[in-house]
Amino acid sequence: MAATLTGSGIALGFSCSAKFSKRASSSSSRSCIKMSVSVEEKTKNFTLQKSEEAFNAAKNLMPGGVNSPVRAFKSVGGQPVVMDSAKGSRIRDIDGNEYIDYVGSWGPAIIGHADDEVLAALAETMKKGTSFGAPCLLENVLAEMVISAVPSIEMVRFVNSGTEACMGVLRLARAFTGKQKFIKFEGCYHGHANSFLVKAGSGVATLGLPDSPGVPKSATSDTLTAPYNDIAAVEKLFEANKGEIAAIILEPVVGNSGFITPKPEFIDGLRRISKDNGALLIFDEVMTGFRLAYGGAQEYFGITPDLTTLGKIIGGGLPVGAYGGRRDIMEMVAPAGPMYQAGTLSGNPLAMTAGIHTLKRLSQPGTYEYLDKITKELTNGILEAGKKTGHAMCGGYISGMFGFFFTEGPVYDFSDAKKSDTEKFGKFFRGMLEEGVYLAPSQFEAGFTSLAHTSEDIQFTIAAAEKVLSRI
């Protein structure tokens, strides 16, 4: 079966600037040989004994042994890995196994783990205190950087997670429009707030739960859903709920059903329909913000929403979230306006510092060209390995975000994604782990590259993929 490329990210890819050509080039063949030998030794001696012991103990302390469900490896099988440290493009577990990491703490580590400049800045900030519960100047600095970068944001409110950002932005949309209903898309995840846990993809899909127990019907009665990339379904929802819909919220590129890109007419159509019906368009850019481009997916696609949520990268690896948008809407937020939202650790100096120094690095020339180059190389290489070894695969990428499915494809929505051979993905995941490559432990999650990944990392990963695919 052939491997096919899908997704607008392939067609819209950039070429790498000359500035990064040396950085991205492979090391000498001698270095590559050394790496392959060490991997053979690592595979032969691969053990997760300490991880198993720690995880068994954790199951008596925390539900399922984890603090976020996907980490339990339920959809891929095998022993969950307990991590110990990370640096650059590498992550190491408590058994001493080292992996090339394409999870990147689920997105934040875009300049690499434990960046020296970020760590140094955090050390200086910590000398002054870790949290004040009061305004600090660093909030102004990061706010100015976010506002200057993201087209839709004229004012911003910092919070502590993506879930909190989405909770706040939905409340704001309802307050501003005076309407209650909103549209989300099947397979898009906007955090674990009650109203969003309807056909939510991600961890919910991984566990096979259509919804979550404990969510009252009243909490989701105003949640309308449509298939991603289906503009006709959105139009029908507006027709059936005239004057009642406050907002449309979506991941502009889906990362919580695997990697799924929008059809060219889809987000254009959403912008038009929302304007025509007096509804707000919300981009959940917790994952895509500062990853697809410095100004996020809205810069990449040239579509400006009314409101945006952010997270992950803007905290440089520390807990953070944000929502922002048009000034007239944001002035509804307390204390400027009547829509209440607050947070004890919001805008804390450590998260602000890490975010500031991460964005400074990302604003440098050539950053996104380099991410695009290595991610293209990685995605094409894995899909070519699939084709060479006779597996049905499809996938795509945009800048530093990618994904692939074990299905012929193309994949345009969550129903297409669910056609994937998840058992085969589990075998592939476990095989790659033994080869020293750490991928997201679910078919329904996107992957991430970073500025710390080298061409040697990419070539090593492609070789490992071909090796694993040839034996499953």
Side-chain angles (χ1 to χ4, degrees):
M1 303 291 281
T4 58
L5 297 174
T6 65
S8 59
I10 296 294
L12 295 172
F14 297 113
S15 61
C16 182
S17 65
K19 179 178 179 181
F20 283 90
S21 59
K22 290 184 180 179
R23 178 182 180 181
S25 64
S26 297
S27 299
S28 67
S29 58
R30 183 178 178 184
S31 298
C32 293
I33 291 170
K34 283 183 177 179
M35 176 172 273
S36 64
V37 170
S38 66
V39 168
E40 291 297 335
E41 293 172 354
K42 187 185 297 182
T43 302
K44 186 166 59 179
N45 299 320
F46 184 79
T47 177
L48 293 174
Q49 182 180 344
K50 291 181 180 178
S51 281
E52 183 176 3
E53 292 169 356
F55 187 69
N56 285 338
K59 286 188 285 188
N60 289 320
L61 303 169
M62 297 169 283
V66 294
N67 285 305
S68 191
V70 73
R71 302 174 191 175
F73 284 23
K74 291 288 188 181
S75 69
V76 293
Q79 174 59 49
V81 180
V82 178
M83 295 304 181
D84 180 63
S85 63
K87 185 71 175 176
S89 64
R90 307 300 176 103
I91 192 165
R92 182 180 290 266
D93 67 27
I94 60 174
D95 286 279
N97 302 305
E98 186 176 89
Y99 312 92
I100 300 173
D101 179 23
Y102 294 103
V103 179
S105 192
W106 300 98
I110 192 169
I111 65 174
H113 289 289
D115 178 79
D116 290 341
E117 291 183 13
V118 174
L119 292 181
L122 285 171
E124 288 300 309
T125 299
M126 281 193 287
K127 293 176 183 178
K128 299 179 179 181
T130 58
S131 180
F132 307 136
C136 70
L137 187 59
L138 293 167
E139 293 173 277
N140 291 22
V141 176
L142 186 57
E144 287 173 355
M145 295 177 79
V146 169
I147 290 167
S148 67
V150 183
S152 67
I153 297 182
E154 296 174 350
M155 298 186 83
V156 64
R157 166 61 62 89
F158 291 116
V159 293
N160 295 289
S161 69
T163 289
E164 195 179 343
C166 290
M167 289 170 60
V169 84
L170 178 59
R171 184 182 302 161
L172 175 58
R174 285 168 162 167
F176 184 79
T177 62
K179 305 171 187 177
Q180 298 302 309
K181 295 182 179 181
F182 74 99
I183 297 172
K184 70 173 293 291
F185 294 91
E186 296 168 10
C188 284
Y189 179 71
H190 307 291
H192 58 81
N194 285 349
S195 56
F196 292 119
L197 284 180
V198 179
K199 299 181 180 178
S202 192
V204 177
T206 295
L207 294 176
L209 301 175
D211 296 295
S212 174
V215 176
K217 291 182 179 179
S218 59
T220 58
S221 60
D222 290 325
T223 305
L224 309 174
T225 63
Y228 188 79
N229 270 322
D230 189 341
I231 202 69
V234 175
E235 290 174 330
K236 288 179 181 178
L237 287 174
F238 272 99
E239 184 64 29
N241 298 273
K242 282 185 178 293
E244 297 181 272
I245 298 175
I248 304 170
I249 186 170
L250 76 154
E251 295 178 87
V253 171
V254 182
N256 286 284
S257 299
F259 178 84
I260 306 174
T261 55
K263 295 177 181 178
E265 67 275 12
F266 180 60
I267 48 178
D268 279 334
L270 295 181
R271 179 68 284 182
R272 171 183 54 79
I273 292 169
S274 60
K275 283 185 176 179
D276 289 348
N277 289 275
L280 301 180
L281 180 61
I282 305 169
F283 277 9
D284 180 352
E285 295 224 45
V286 168
M287 193 174 287
T288 58
F290 292 93
R291 179 161 285 279
L292 303 193
Y294 192 66
Q298 55 200 267
E299 176 190 317
Y300 186 88
F301 293 114
I303 300 291
T304 302
D306 301 296
L307 292 166
T308 299
T309 60
L310 297 169
K312 298 186 185 292
I313 287 172
I314 65 163
L318 276 70
V320 78
Y323 60 98
R326 285 175 14 210
R327 181 175 295 273
D328 61 320
I329 303 174
M330 290 300 296
E331 286 180 340
M332 288 282 295
V333 179
M339 200 266 340
Y340 190 76
Q341 179 271 315
T344 299
L345 296 174
S346 297
N348 75 81
L350 295 184
M352 300 297 99
T353 295
I356 289 164
H357 286 271
T358 297
L359 297 195
K360 281 182 179 178
R361 184 77 59 81
L362 293 176
S363 66
Q364 294 176 6
T367 292
Y368 292 93
E369 289 83 355
Y370 181 72
L371 288 171
D372 190 85
K373 177 187 182 298
I374 61 168
T375 313
K376 177 181 180 180
E377 185 181 356
L378 174 69
T379 308
N380 289 355
I382 291 175
L383 293 176
E384 184 59 34
K387 179 179 180 181
K388 186 176 179 180
T389 53
H391 295 280
M393 294 178 70
C394 65
Y397 73 96
I398 298 177
S399 188
M401 184 176 177
F402 70 94
F404 52 87
F405 297 95
F406 279 95
T407 183
E408 193 71 40
V411 172
Y412 291 123
D413 57 28
F414 190 37
S415 63
D416 290 337
K418 288 191 291 186
K419 297 173 185 175
S420 296
D421 187 335
T422 54
E423 182 178 350
K424 184 178 287 186
F425 177 84
K427 293 177 181 178
F428 179 70
F429 170 84
R430 295 192 301 273
M432 291 296 278
L433 205 62
E434 292 186 15
E435 296 295 331
V437 177
Y438 184 57
L439 300 169
S442 171
Q443 173 70 95
F444 303 116
E445 294 283 359
F448 306 102
T449 54
S450 76
L451 295 177
H453 284 90
T454 65
S455 185
E456 183 178 89
D457 289 334
I458 304 303
Q459 290 305 314
F460 177 86
T461 303
I462 293 168
E466 185 171 336
K467 182 178 178 181
V468 174
L469 288 166
S470 68
R471 66 178 187 240
I472 63 173

PDB file of all heavy atoms in Angstrom, residues 80 82 114 147 151 163 181 205 208 237 241 266-267 281 299 317 327 358 373 411:
ATOM      1  N   PRO A  80       4.492   2.588  30.499  1.00  0.00           N
ATOM      2  CA  PRO A  80       4.717   4.039  30.455  1.00  0.00           C
ATOM      3  C   PRO A  80       6.123   4.393  30.918  1.00  0.00           C
ATOM      4  O   PRO A  80       6.685   3.739  31.800  1.00  0.00           O
ATOM      5  CB  PRO A  80       3.654   4.583  31.419  1.00  0.00           C
ATOM      6  CG  PRO A  80       2.586   3.546  31.434  1.00  0.00           C
ATOM      7  CD  PRO A  80       3.312   2.240  31.298  1.00  0.00           C
ATOM      8  N   VAL A  82       8.815   6.849  32.653  1.00  0.00           N
ATOM      9  CA  VAL A  82       8.947   7.899  33.656  1.00  0.00           C
ATOM     10  C   VAL A  82      10.212   8.682  33.338  1.00  0.00           C
ATOM     11  O   VAL A  82      11.315   8.129  33.339  1.00  0.00           O
ATOM     12  CB  VAL A  82       9.020   7.302  35.080  1.00  0.00           C
ATOM     13  CG1 VAL A  82       9.207   8.408  36.113  1.00  0.00           C
ATOM     14  CG2 VAL A  82       7.760   6.494  35.375  1.00  0.00           C
ATOM     15  N   ALA A 114      15.237  22.895  28.207  1.00  0.00           N
ATOM     16  CA  ALA A 114      16.229  23.439  29.152  1.00  0.00           C
ATOM     17  C   ALA A 114      17.225  24.358  28.454  1.00  0.00           C
ATOM     18  O   ALA A 114      18.444  24.235  28.631  1.00  0.00           O
ATOM     19  CB  ALA A 114      16.957  22.302  29.872  1.00  0.00           C
ATOM     20  N   ILE A 147       0.892  40.989  21.708  1.00  0.00           N
ATOM     21  CA  ILE A 147       0.034  41.905  20.945  1.00  0.00           C
ATOM     22  C   ILE A 147       0.687  42.301  19.616  1.00  0.00           C
ATOM     23  O   ILE A 147       0.012  42.372  18.576  1.00  0.00           O
ATOM     24  CB  ILE A 147      -0.294  43.150  21.790  1.00  0.00           C
ATOM     25  CG1 ILE A 147      -1.241  42.760  22.935  1.00  0.00           C
ATOM     26  CG2 ILE A 147      -0.914  44.249  20.937  1.00  0.00           C
ATOM     27  CD1 ILE A 147      -1.392  43.826  24.014  1.00  0.00           C
ATOM     28  N   PRO A 151      -2.052  38.842  15.026  1.00  0.00           N
ATOM     29  CA  PRO A 151      -2.900  39.837  14.351  1.00  0.00           C
ATOM     30  C   PRO A 151      -4.196  40.185  15.063  1.00  0.00           C
ATOM     31  O   PRO A 151      -4.611  41.344  15.056  1.00  0.00           O
ATOM     32  CB  PRO A 151      -3.175  39.168  12.993  1.00  0.00           C
ATOM     33  CG  PRO A 151      -1.981  38.308  12.744  1.00  0.00           C
ATOM     34  CD  PRO A 151      -1.592  37.786  14.099  1.00  0.00           C
ATOM     35  N   THR A 163      -6.793  25.176  29.139  1.00  0.00           N
ATOM     36  CA  THR A 163      -8.177  24.960  29.564  1.00  0.00           C
ATOM     37  C   THR A 163      -8.772  26.236  30.146  1.00  0.00           C
ATOM     38  O   THR A 163      -9.894  26.638  29.802  1.00  0.00           O
ATOM     39  CB  THR A 163      -8.252  23.837  30.618  1.00  0.00           C
ATOM     40  OG1 THR A 163      -7.995  22.579  29.979  1.00  0.00           O
ATOM     41  CG2 THR A 163      -9.619  23.776  31.277  1.00  0.00           C
ATOM     42  N   LYS A 181     -25.331  29.798  22.779  1.00  0.00           N
ATOM     43  CA  LYS A 181     -24.865  28.631  22.041  1.00  0.00           C
ATOM     44  C   LYS A 181     -23.531  28.906  21.334  1.00  0.00           C
ATOM     45  O   LYS A 181     -23.225  30.042  20.991  1.00  0.00           O
ATOM     46  CB  LYS A 181     -25.914  28.181  21.023  1.00  0.00           C
ATOM     47  CG  LYS A 181     -27.205  27.691  21.667  1.00  0.00           C
ATOM     48  CD  LYS A 181     -28.203  27.205  20.630  1.00  0.00           C
ATOM     49  CE  LYS A 181     -29.480  26.709  21.306  1.00  0.00           C
ATOM     50  NZ  LYS A 181     -30.473  26.208  20.314  1.00  0.00           N
ATOM     51  N   ALA A 205     -10.539  10.684  22.993  1.00  0.00           N
ATOM     52  CA  ALA A 205     -10.511   9.709  21.904  1.00  0.00           C
ATOM     53  C   ALA A 205      -9.584   8.554  22.249  1.00  0.00           C
ATOM     54  O   ALA A 205      -9.876   7.395  21.974  1.00  0.00           O
ATOM     55  CB  ALA A 205     -10.058  10.380  20.613  1.00  0.00           C
ATOM     56  N   GLY A 208     -11.320   6.193  24.323  1.00  0.00           N
ATOM     57  CA  GLY A 208     -12.554   5.679  23.755  1.00  0.00           C
ATOM     58  C   GLY A 208     -13.800   6.163  24.458  1.00  0.00           C
ATOM     59  O   GLY A 208     -14.836   5.495  24.436  1.00  0.00           O
ATOM     60  N   LEU A 237     -26.239  24.584  10.989  1.00  0.00           N
ATOM     61  CA  LEU A 237     -26.377  24.887  12.414  1.00  0.00           C
ATOM     62  C   LEU A 237     -26.836  26.322  12.636  1.00  0.00           C
ATOM     63  O   LEU A 237     -27.686  26.592  13.499  1.00  0.00           O
ATOM     64  CB  LEU A 237     -25.058  24.634  13.144  1.00  0.00           C
ATOM     65  CG  LEU A 237     -24.674  23.172  13.354  1.00  0.00           C
ATOM     66  CD1 LEU A 237     -23.280  23.069  13.952  1.00  0.00           C
ATOM     67  CD2 LEU A 237     -25.687  22.459  14.251  1.00  0.00           C
ATOM     68  N   ASN A 241     -30.432  27.522  14.284  1.00  0.00           N
ATOM     69  CA  ASN A 241     -30.314  28.218  15.573  1.00  0.00           C
ATOM     70  C   ASN A 241     -30.150  29.718  15.349  1.00  0.00           C
ATOM     71  O   ASN A 241     -29.255  30.359  15.883  1.00  0.00           O
ATOM     72  CB  ASN A 241     -29.121  27.671  16.359  1.00  0.00           C
ATOM     73  CG  ASN A 241     -29.235  26.212  16.702  1.00  0.00           C
ATOM     74  OD1 ASN A 241     -29.804  25.832  17.715  1.00  0.00           O
ATOM     75  ND2 ASN A 241     -28.695  25.350  15.829  1.00  0.00           N
ATOM     76  N   PHE A 266     -12.274  26.426   4.064  1.00  0.00           N
ATOM     77  CA  PHE A 266     -12.955  26.174   5.338  1.00  0.00           C
ATOM     78  C   PHE A 266     -12.899  27.368   6.287  1.00  0.00           C
ATOM     79  O   PHE A 266     -13.929  27.893   6.709  1.00  0.00           O
ATOM     80  CB  PHE A 266     -12.376  24.923   5.998  1.00  0.00           C
ATOM     81  CG  PHE A 266     -13.017  24.581   7.320  1.00  0.00           C
ATOM     82  CD1 PHE A 266     -14.376  24.322   7.401  1.00  0.00           C
ATOM     83  CD2 PHE A 266     -12.259  24.505   8.480  1.00  0.00           C
ATOM     84  CE1 PHE A 266     -14.967  24.000   8.624  1.00  0.00           C
ATOM     85  CE2 PHE A 266     -12.831  24.178   9.695  1.00  0.00           C
ATOM     86  CZ  PHE A 266     -14.197  23.928   9.764  1.00  0.00           C
ATOM     87  N   ILE A 267     -11.691  27.814   6.647  1.00  0.00           N
ATOM     88  CA  ILE A 267     -11.640  28.918   7.613  1.00  0.00           C
ATOM     89  C   ILE A 267     -12.047  30.242   6.973  1.00  0.00           C
ATOM     90  O   ILE A 267     -12.536  31.129   7.665  1.00  0.00           O
ATOM     91  CB  ILE A 267     -10.274  29.016   8.322  1.00  0.00           C
ATOM     92  CG1 ILE A 267      -9.117  28.948   7.350  1.00  0.00           C
ATOM     93  CG2 ILE A 267     -10.133  27.934   9.368  1.00  0.00           C
ATOM     94  CD1 ILE A 267      -7.763  29.084   8.027  1.00  0.00           C
ATOM     95  N   LEU A 281     -15.643  34.664  15.919  1.00  0.00           N
ATOM     96  CA  LEU A 281     -14.786  33.565  15.486  1.00  0.00           C
ATOM     97  C   LEU A 281     -13.592  33.489  16.442  1.00  0.00           C
ATOM     98  O   LEU A 281     -12.874  34.476  16.634  1.00  0.00           O
ATOM     99  CB  LEU A 281     -14.295  33.790  14.055  1.00  0.00           C
ATOM    100  CG  LEU A 281     -13.370  32.701  13.480  1.00  0.00           C
ATOM    101  CD1 LEU A 281     -14.086  31.353  13.423  1.00  0.00           C
ATOM    102  CD2 LEU A 281     -12.874  33.107  12.080  1.00  0.00           C
ATOM    103  N   GLU A 299      -1.680  34.219  11.197  1.00  0.00           N
ATOM    104  CA  GLU A 299      -0.716  34.825  10.282  1.00  0.00           C
ATOM    105  C   GLU A 299      -0.453  33.901   9.098  1.00  0.00           C
ATOM    106  O   GLU A 299      -0.427  34.343   7.948  1.00  0.00           O
ATOM    107  CB  GLU A 299       0.601  35.112  10.992  1.00  0.00           C
ATOM    108  CG  GLU A 299       1.685  35.667  10.066  1.00  0.00           C
ATOM    109  CD  GLU A 299       3.054  35.732  10.701  1.00  0.00           C
ATOM    110  OE1 GLU A 299       3.156  36.152  11.868  1.00  0.00           O
ATOM    111  OE2 GLU A 299       4.030  35.342  10.020  1.00  0.00           O
ATOM    112  N   GLY A 317       7.547  26.559  28.574  1.00  0.00           N
ATOM    113  CA  GLY A 317       7.644  25.324  29.325  1.00  0.00           C
ATOM    114  C   GLY A 317       7.094  25.407  30.731  1.00  0.00           C
ATOM    115  O   GLY A 317       7.028  24.405  31.439  1.00  0.00           O
ATOM    116  N   ARG A 327     -10.044  44.987  21.120  1.00  0.00           N
ATOM    117  CA  ARG A 327     -10.111  45.792  22.336  1.00  0.00           C
ATOM    118  C   ARG A 327     -11.542  45.948  22.852  1.00  0.00           C
ATOM    119  O   ARG A 327     -11.783  45.861  24.065  1.00  0.00           O
ATOM    120  CB  ARG A 327      -9.498  47.167  22.067  1.00  0.00           C
ATOM    121  CG  ARG A 327      -9.481  48.105  23.267  1.00  0.00           C
ATOM    122  CD  ARG A 327      -8.751  49.392  22.942  1.00  0.00           C
ATOM    123  NE  ARG A 327      -7.337  49.132  22.664  1.00  0.00           N
ATOM    124  CZ  ARG A 327      -6.388  49.072  23.594  1.00  0.00           C
ATOM    125  NH1 ARG A 327      -6.702  49.257  24.869  1.00  0.00           N
ATOM    126  NH2 ARG A 327      -5.143  48.833  23.269  1.00  0.00           N
ATOM    127  N   THR A 358      11.717  32.911  25.258  1.00  0.00           N
ATOM    128  CA  THR A 358      11.377  31.999  24.169  1.00  0.00           C
ATOM    129  C   THR A 358      10.937  32.776  22.935  1.00  0.00           C
ATOM    130  O   THR A 358      11.379  32.491  21.809  1.00  0.00           O
ATOM    131  CB  THR A 358      10.267  31.026  24.612  1.00  0.00           C
ATOM    132  OG1 THR A 358      10.747  30.223  25.698  1.00  0.00           O
ATOM    133  CG2 THR A 358       9.847  30.112  23.473  1.00  0.00           C
ATOM    134  N   LYS A 373      11.996  23.297   7.263  1.00  0.00           N
ATOM    135  CA  LYS A 373      12.922  22.415   6.546  1.00  0.00           C
ATOM    136  C   LYS A 373      13.064  21.059   7.238  1.00  0.00           C
ATOM    137  O   LYS A 373      12.935  20.008   6.607  1.00  0.00           O
ATOM    138  CB  LYS A 373      14.298  23.069   6.419  1.00  0.00           C
ATOM    139  CG  LYS A 373      15.338  22.168   5.743  1.00  0.00           C
ATOM    140  CD  LYS A 373      16.708  22.783   5.783  1.00  0.00           C
ATOM    141  CE  LYS A 373      17.728  21.892   5.061  1.00  0.00           C
ATOM    142  NZ  LYS A 373      17.866  20.556   5.684  1.00  0.00           N
ATOM    143  N   VAL A 411      -6.973  12.437   5.237  1.00  0.00           N
ATOM    144  CA  VAL A 411      -7.688  12.663   6.488  1.00  0.00           C
ATOM    145  C   VAL A 411      -8.089  14.131   6.560  1.00  0.00           C
ATOM    146  O   VAL A 411      -7.239  15.013   6.632  1.00  0.00           O
ATOM    147  CB  VAL A 411      -6.813  12.287   7.698  1.00  0.00           C
ATOM    148  CG1 VAL A 411      -7.490  12.699   9.000  1.00  0.00           C
ATOM    149  CG2 VAL A 411      -6.523  10.784   7.704  1.00  0.00           C
TER     150      VAL A 411
END
